[in-house]
Amino acid sequence: MSRFAQYYAKYKHDAGCYDWEQRQQHLGALFDKDESIEFYLGEGTDRKVYKHKVYHLKSAPGITVMRFANDIDIPVERDFEPAMAKDEPSCFVIIDNRDHLRTVAIQKRKKAFSNTHKVAKIMSFVIDQQLFKDHCYGFEILPDYYPVDLFKVWEQQQAHAQQMRFGTPEMEKDEILRKVEALKAKNRDYFDDSIMGALLDVLYAQKQAKYKGHYTVMPEDKKTALYVDKSSVYMRNLLTLADALDEPVELITNDGGTFRCFIDNDEGNTDKIVSHEFNENFLDMLFKTKKKDGSNIEHEDRLKAEEEVIGLMNSMKHEVTDEEEDQAA
């Protein structure tokens, strides 16, 4: 399994745009073939080219899967003398260019790039230049960060929420109880300390016994979503405790997405990019003819791989209407 960071594409309107309404077609044309665009940074002797290969999903042509490679010099020893060898480790990039969708998923693979921002920067730079040159508007790829407000995210993910994970407290029990008491004055609609003492006893016993330092809540029926519930005494006490500790709570969805959020906190984002788990073997199938065991990759295998990719991109949709984008330009 690999982790894929969630980014989104943003078109930048310019006064000279004469075919702004065709921006998604223009972007798609840049990935029509491997050689349709060249990714690079620098000029002259400092110019470095990043090779890439593209695959367009047959079942969803608006989704492009890309292998994005980075030439790296590796020190080796040949005939007892220091030397350099070339390596071209790659990461996967998936661009969802279906109607009104702007999603870009970048694989976190440090062997190829130290972070996903580097890949986004290279792609943004080249695509921006090309689109401005040909069509007089700009382009950039930006990260999607985990939101801060837990309840807002919980409501947005209402049909998909499966688990909520709370951290165990590090501070002393008396200090926590003082913080909980101070929250009464804020009149939170979820405030409840009726079982706080017993809850802390359990959490401290868990910590003292050196069990895993998280407390997970999930519905009894796995097929049922973890709906927003401020009426449950149990949940209200957990939320009150998390608020008192000022620690993030993790909301986990049924597609593996994790949202790390604070409760009623408006201090900006956590500076953490939303990420998703995905089996990169499905992406390998789109570019290779044989599996790791040496057997052939059949047509049915690729259809299954495409289905999984579509599922991943549907779980991280960044959707924008023409009206919204025109207004934001």
Side-chain angles (χ1 to χ4, degrees):
M1 298 292 284
S2 292
R3 295 191 70 80
F4 283 76
Q6 182 171 317
Y7 285 73
Y8 65 95
K10 181 180 179 183
Y11 297 96
K12 298 182 292 184
H13 195 282
D14 191 89
C17 290
Y18 54 87
D19 47 6
W20 168 252
E21 68 281 355
Q22 295 178 316
R23 52 200 176 280
Q24 285 194 259
Q25 292 93 316
H26 298 155
L27 180 64
L30 297 182
F31 304 114
D32 185 35
K33 299 176 182 177
D34 295 340
E35 63 273 14
S36 296
I37 190 170
E38 181 180 65
F39 292 103
Y40 69 93
L41 281 182
E43 298 293 341
T45 56
D46 294 328
R47 180 186 174 97
K48 180 173 182 177
V49 175
Y50 298 87
K51 298 178 182 178
H52 72 282
K53 289 183 177 295
V54 298
Y55 177 92
H56 303 284
L57 267 59
K58 306 297 187 295
S59 47
I63 298 178
T64 300
V65 180
M66 182 188 307
R67 272 192 179 278
F68 202 86
N70 186 10
D71 288 338
I72 297 175
D73 290 329
I74 301 176
V76 296
E77 191 176 89
R78 291 195 180 112
D79 298 327
F80 307 104
E81 293 291 335
M84 299 298 287
K86 281 285 185 185
D87 189 21
E88 292 184 353
S90 63
C91 69
F92 286 109
V93 177
I94 309 172
I95 300 168
D96 194 343
N97 194 38
R98 291 175 291 176
D99 283 348
H100 305 302
L101 295 181
R102 305 283 185 267
T103 322
V104 180
I106 303 177
Q107 184 184 15
K108 294 182 177 181
R109 191 170 184 235
K110 288 191 175 181
K111 182 180 178 182
F113 294 91
S114 59
N115 58 64
T116 54
H117 283 301
K118 289 185 178 294
V119 180
K121 177 183 176 182
I122 296 164
M123 294 184 66
S124 290
F125 170 75
V126 174
I127 296 172
D128 179 69
Q129 281 200 330
Q130 192 63 49
L131 290 180
F132 192 82
K133 175 185 174 184
D134 295 341
H135 307 290
C136 300
Y137 63 82
F139 177 91
E140 59 186 327
I141 297 175
L142 300 168
D144 264 327
Y145 289 110
Y146 288 120
V148 172
D149 191 324
L150 173 66
F151 294 110
K152 184 176 180 181
V153 177
W154 202 353
E155 289 168 358
Q156 289 172 346
Q157 299 295 325
Q158 191 69 105
H160 312 290
Q162 279 292 300
Q163 299 179 35
M164 194 173 288
R165 191 158 55 194
F166 297 84
T168 52
E170 296 294 332
M171 63 184 73
E172 294 299 321
K173 183 177 178 179
D174 289 345
E175 184 181 357
I176 294 173
L177 290 174
R178 285 196 298 270
K179 287 181 173 288
V180 169
E181 185 67 23
L183 288 175
K184 281 186 178 179
K186 293 187 177 181
N187 296 317
R188 305 293 199 199
D189 61 353
Y190 55 83
F191 179 85
D192 193 330
D193 62 351
S194 59
I195 60 171
M196 189 63 65
L199 179 60
L200 287 174
D201 286 342
V202 172
L203 292 176
Y204 276 106
Q206 174 193 23
K207 184 179 178 183
Q208 189 173 9
K210 299 187 184 303
Y211 288 111
K212 191 173 181 180
H214 287 95
Y215 194 76
T216 303
V217 178
M218 57 193 304
E220 186 176 8
D221 183 355
K222 290 184 178 180
K223 295 182 180 179
T224 303
L226 187 67
Y227 289 105
V228 176
D229 185 5
K230 296 180 182 179
S231 64
S232 162
V233 170
Y234 176 58
M235 182 60 80
R236 285 160 62 95
N237 274 264
L238 283 172
L239 295 170
T240 299
L241 176 60
D243 196 2
L245 296 176
D246 198 27
E247 288 288 335
V249 177
E250 289 187 349
L251 180 68
I252 302 167
T253 58
N254 55 18
D255 58 12
T258 301
F259 298 85
R260 192 169 180 264
C261 315
F262 289 88
I263 297 176
D264 286 350
N265 189 316
D266 57 2
E267 296 177 359
N269 61 54
T270 61
D271 201 34
K272 186 176 175 64
I273 301 176
V274 177
S275 59
H276 301 253
E277 293 280 351
F278 189 71
N279 189 341
E280 73 276 15
N281 289 332
F282 289 121
L283 300 173
D284 269 326
M285 286 185 189
L286 304 178
F287 291 89
K288 295 182 178 180
T289 57
K290 291 187 179 294
K291 301 177 185 177
K292 289 183 178 180
D293 62 7
S295 61
N296 290 332
I297 294 175
E298 306 293 346
H299 177 66
E300 293 74 16
D301 295 322
R302 286 200 174 85
L303 286 179
K304 172 62 176 174
E306 290 196 8
E307 181 183 330
E308 294 292 333
V309 173
I310 292 171
L312 171 67
M313 300 315 290
N314 285 343
S315 72
M316 58 167 68
K317 278 183 180 179
H318 187 99
E319 194 167 3
V320 180
T321 66
D322 289 339
E323 291 75 16
E324 289 171 338
E325 201 161 52
D326 284 337
Q327 290 170 3

